Amino acid sequence: MSKNILFIAPPAGGKSTICARLVENDGYIHIATGNLLRDIDASSDLGRKVQDKLSKGEFVDDDIVIELLKNKLQNLNGKPFILDGFPRNLHQARVLEELLNEYHLTLDLVIELIVSENTLLKRITGRQICPNCERTYNKYFMPPRVSGICDDCDVLLTSRIDDNEETFKVRFDTYMKETYPLIDYYREKGLVVKIDGEDNIYEQIVSVINDD
Ligand code: AMP
């Protein structure tokens, strides 16, 4: 049985890698607000506004993010979804609840990924992404066959504008202050399962999904 999942994890907690596997192997729709924001045309007025926030590691305005989310939730066509990056604070959690009610959807599982701060920093500073297929590499943990080049597309890998130590600090502090308290919010609803985010993550998650 598939479950609709929300991931709560610090920046570079490993959500996108895991989500890619769940999409490929288990038919999930991945709703990642960070990706949706990065996909906005950077030369448009909206794109410039969003890029400015992203580069500083600050939250983008709720109304922009919620519009992107609504569009995804309305086009699931019966498939299970994974939420990644939304909600990021209590206000967004309440908005999500209203939207799910409105669209007759449920949230079945909240996965908290536990990762040490040291590992997070290496993941951030080592992360490289293919601009063509969006495959993610890490120069420390998961390098491409040829340094700096995508294995599949043969193009130069890029880094996210917010993947540096300074911005990481802002994003991590904001995560602890704004997003981490959501664990308690969802724990009270009986939805939270903790997963060790450093080893066999996918296997642990599949076992939780299949657990009734
Ligand atoms: P992520 O890819 O989830 O690490 O998100 C990258 C950046 O996108 C964040 O640092 C925020 O600037 C912005 N962002 C993503 N999701 C949200 C959200 N739910 N609310 C506000 N800003 C967001």
Side-chain angles (χ1 to χ4, degrees):
M1 183 199 131
S2 293
K3 288 181 178 154
N4 293 328
I5 307 174
L6 161 65
F7 275 102
I8 299 189
K15 289 174 294 171
S16 34
T17 312
I18 284 302
C19 291
R21 287 188 73 181
L22 288 166
V23 168
E24 198 173 317
N25 301 343
D26 305 278
Y28 273 91
I29 299 284
H30 183 202
I31 307 179
T33 44
N35 289 351
L36 297 172
L37 290 165
R38 279 184 289 275
D39 283 347
I40 297 176
D41 176 6
S43 64
S44 66
D45 281 350
L46 178 64
R48 271 191 291 277
K49 196 168 152 186
V50 166
Q51 289 288 318
D52 179 55
K53 295 278 187 190
L54 293 186
S55 65
K56 294 180 188 151
E58 292 172 5
F59 281 2
V60 173
D61 298 352
D62 275 354
D63 52 347
I64 298 174
V65 184
I66 290 166
E67 232 13 77
L68 294 168
L69 173 71
K70 276 187 184 171
N71 182 25
K72 281 290 195 181
L73 288 175
Q74 285 172 310
N75 289 292
L76 290 170
N77 297 321
K79 290 194 176 170
F81 64 82
I82 318 168
L83 277 172
D84 164 3
F86 192 102
R88 263 177 150 84
N89 57 30
L90 216 50
H91 168 68
Q92 291 189 354
R94 296 199 176 107
V95 171
L96 175 66
E97 210 160 308
E98 282 166 22
L99 290 178
L100 293 178
N101 281 337
E102 188 181 334
Y103 304 143
H104 307 289
L105 297 166
T106 54
L107 181 63
D108 306 311
L109 181 65
V110 174
I111 294 181
E112 177 188 3
L113 287 180
I114 315 282
V115 188
S116 74
E117 217 178 314
N118 189 30
T119 303
L120 294 176
L121 194 57
K122 272 196 152 164
R123 284 189 186 163
I124 288 268
T125 51
R127 176 153 60 187
Q128 295 177 309
I129 301 167
C130 172
N132 191 36
C133 69
E134 295 190 353
R135 182 167 165 186
T136 305
Y137 300 84
N138 186 292
K139 58 184 175 197
Y140 304 115
F141 305 122
M142 224 188 341
R145 281 194 297 271
V146 179
S147 168
I149 305 285
C150 179
D151 291 351
D152 300 326
C153 309
D154 210 21
V155 299
L156 261 185
L157 299 174
T158 57
S159 292
R160 283 171 39 169
I161 47 171
D162 51 354
D163 274 350
N164 57 67
E165 208 167 328
E166 196 184 334
T167 309
F168 169 72
K169 207 171 158 359
V170 177
R171 288 159 67 206
F172 186 76
D173 289 349
T174 310
Y175 169 78
M176 290 311 290
K177 202 165 123 227
E178 303 265 350
T179 311
Y180 190 71
L182 291 180
I183 303 280
D184 276 345
Y185 176 83
Y186 286 113
R187 189 178 289 123
E188 278 172 25
K189 297 178 186 293
L191 293 178
V192 177
V193 174
K194 272 181 201 264
I195 298 275
D196 169 2
E198 306 214 19
D199 261 324
N200 299 323
I201 316 172
Y202 178 71
E203 289 72 17
Q204 294 179 72
I205 290 174
V206 167
S207 129
V208 173
I209 292 175
N210 292 328
D211 202 20
D212 273 321

